[in-house]
């Protein structure tokens, strides 16, 4: 999903091989559970993983991993201009897996300033790990969207419920238009895109319609815009699937996104509803470690394998 070039002066080997951002339209859909267990699953497969709790103002990723509240958190980095991100990285007890705990002690952490956010994004992108997994907060604030769209893999978690599907659709539309806003600024085509989006009927334009409008004015810019927007390819994870009908929700969402918005989306698979999952949460243990043969753990491990396959990583 992330298409911007390396920042000047940043050597390629000093950035994560892949960035995964786990988001969704609302709270309570299992983003932290997915982030924590996906991180463990990738670490068990020999990948160096750094988990980042970016649920600013509602952090709980450390609890999912059974890690005591760290004395150094993301807030220490954000509030101290000379601090290094490496200073707030803590071990998790799982080989190959480290954690940056969320900013629990900052009341206005969810409203970090633009300069703070940019500094954090730059620092995250220079971490020398195989996978950087960012656990995002609920909603579609600009801060949340900006973390989502810098990722190579923007993972969208949803439940097989109408409200969750609706909120997830709103989230990815907001993320797409946030990405479009960045691209149009980068290429200096704000006015062209603004004109393409403005209609008398007030209807939302699809990426194809936007590109067609820009092409009428500047074919070269339209071609570059088309490549940028085609790179916006969300990965879908369905959580708490209880029935065979639930298992079909992911494919239906992918199909609807393609039909109505004209963009591709990858269905990474489903995680079965599993009593072992909430039991593991109560024990503050990742389910892929607590009950690796349980249906939920098997689902998460399959998702990890699919991501590795997409990245061409072989065991």
């Amino acid at each position: 999903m992330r298409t911007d070039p390396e920042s000047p002066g940043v050597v390629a080997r000093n950035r994560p091989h892949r960035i995964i951002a786990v988001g969704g339209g609302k709270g309570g859909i299992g983003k932290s559970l997915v982030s924590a267990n996906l991180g463990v699953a990738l670490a068990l497969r020999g990948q160096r993983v750094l988990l980042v709790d970016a649920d600013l103002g509602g952090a709980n990723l450390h609890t999912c991993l059974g890690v005591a509240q760290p004395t150094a958190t993301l807030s220490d980095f954000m509030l101290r201009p000379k601090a290094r991100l490496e200073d707030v990285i803590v071990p998790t007890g799982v080989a190959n897996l480290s954690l940056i705990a969320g900013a629990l002690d900052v009341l206005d952490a969810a409203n970090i300033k633009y300069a703070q956010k940019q500094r954090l994004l730059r620092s995250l992108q220079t971490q020398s790990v195989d996978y950087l997994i960012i656990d995002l907060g609920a909603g579609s604030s600009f801060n949340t969207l900006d973390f989502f769209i810098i990722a190579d893999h923007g993972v969208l978690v949803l439940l097989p419920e109408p409200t969750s599907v609706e909120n997830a659709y709103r989230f990815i539309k907001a993320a797409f238009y946030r990405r479009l806003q960045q691209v149009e600024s980068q290429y200096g085509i704000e006015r062209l895109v603004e004109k393409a989006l403005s209609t008398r009927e007030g209807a939302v334009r699809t990426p194809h319609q936007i590109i067609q409008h820009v092409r009428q004015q500047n074919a070269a810019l339209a071609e570059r815009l088309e490549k940028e927007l085609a790179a916006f390819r969300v990965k879908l994870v369905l959580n708490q699937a209880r029935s065979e009908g639930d298992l079909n929700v992911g494919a239906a969402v992918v199909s609807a996104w393609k039909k109505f918005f004209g963009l591709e989306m990858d269905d990474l698979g489903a995680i079965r509803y599993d009593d072992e999952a909430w039991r593991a949460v109560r024990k503050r243990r990742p389910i892929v470690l607590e009950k690796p043969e349980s249906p939920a753990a098997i689902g998460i491990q399959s998702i990890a394998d699919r991501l590795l396959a997409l990245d061409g990583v072989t065991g």
Side-chain angles (χ1 to χ4, degrees):
M1 180 175 294
R2 178 174 47 77
T3 57
D4 55 301
E6 296 287 352
S7 299
V10 176
V11 182
R13 62 181 174 81
N14 287 334
R15 62 164 296 272
H17 292 177
R18 289 293 185 272
I19 298 175
I20 300 172
V22 182
K26 58 186 243 182
I29 57 176
K31 293 186 300 295
S32 293
L33 182 142
V34 171
S35 298
N37 283 278
L38 181 59
V40 173
L42 290 170
L44 293 175
R45 285 154 175 76
Q47 303 299 303
R48 297 167 301 150
V49 181
L50 174 59
L51 277 168
V52 180
D53 196 338
D55 186 351
L56 304 174
N60 63 2
L61 195 55
H62 63 284
T63 305
C64 298
L65 295 164
V67 175
Q69 174 58 44
T71 56
T73 69
L74 198 57
S75 62
D76 295 289
F77 171 78
M78 290 193 296
L79 296 178
R80 298 174 185 169
K82 295 184 179 180
R84 300 184 313 139
L85 198 61
E86 289 77 8
D87 296 333
V88 299
I89 296 175
V90 298
T92 64
V94 178
N96 297 320
L97 182 65
S98 299
L99 169 70
I100 296 177
L104 289 178
D105 54 345
V106 183
L107 292 177
D108 62 346
N111 300 311
I112 60 173
K113 296 177 181 178
Y114 178 81
Q116 290 175 310
K117 177 178 64 180
Q118 291 302 110
R119 174 171 167 257
L120 176 57
L121 289 173
R122 287 194 301 269
S123 296
L124 288 174
Q125 290 174 308
T126 61
Q127 296 305 302
S128 183
V129 292
D130 296 316
Y131 281 94
L132 176 75
I133 301 178
I134 308 174
D135 181 25
L136 301 176
S140 54
S141 69
F142 282 167
N143 286 335
T144 298
L145 296 176
D146 286 348
F147 284 115
F148 189 79
I149 61 182
I150 68 160
D152 299 283
H153 301 306
V155 174
L156 181 73
V157 180
L158 77 157
L159 303 179
E161 301 169 357
T163 55
S164 181
V165 172
E166 183 178 342
N167 280 310
Y169 191 67
R170 287 175 180 167
F171 178 86
I172 51 176
K173 281 204 299 184
F176 169 78
Y177 283 114
R178 181 63 171 169
R179 178 58 186 151
L180 176 60
Q181 186 180 50
Q182 292 182 347
V183 171
E184 68 185 37
S185 177
Q186 179 183 346
Y187 292 153
I189 55 175
E190 292 95 335
R191 293 183 65 181
L192 285 178
V193 173
E194 183 181 354
K195 190 174 180 181
L197 289 173
S198 63
T199 63
R200 292 178 183 176
E201 299 81 10
V204 174
R205 293 294 185 98
T206 67
H208 176 72
Q209 290 170 323
I210 295 169
I211 292 165
Q212 286 297 97
H213 183 88
V214 174
R215 182 170 284 117
Q216 293 173 5
Q217 313 298 321
N218 189 316
L221 281 177
E223 184 176 350
R224 294 173 68 182
L225 180 63
E226 186 171 22
K227 290 179 180 178
E228 291 276 5
L229 299 187
F232 185 87
R233 187 163 179 149
V234 173
K235 276 69 176 179
L236 186 71
V237 169
L238 182 74
N239 192 25
Q240 297 185 15
R242 296 172 184 260
S243 66
E244 291 304 312
D246 286 351
L247 294 175
N248 297 326
V249 170
V253 171
V254 169
S255 177
W257 180 245
K258 173 67 174 178
K259 179 180 179 180
F260 295 111
F261 222 64
L263 292 177
E264 300 293 338
M265 179 187 291
D266 296 309
D267 185 359
L268 292 183
I271 302 170
R272 287 276 191 174
Y273 179 87
D274 190 346
D275 285 339
E276 295 295 347
W278 63 259
R279 291 192 182 102
V281 170
R282 285 190 175 183
K283 292 181 180 180
R284 297 162 57 101
R285 287 270 294 170
I287 192 170
V288 294
L289 293 179
E290 181 69 11
K291 294 288 183 179
E293 300 304 320
S294 66
I298 290 172
I300 292 167
Q301 291 163 2
S302 296
I303 289 166
D305 289 333
R306 289 191 184 99
L307 281 169
L308 290 171
L310 285 173
D311 293 333
V313 179
T314 57

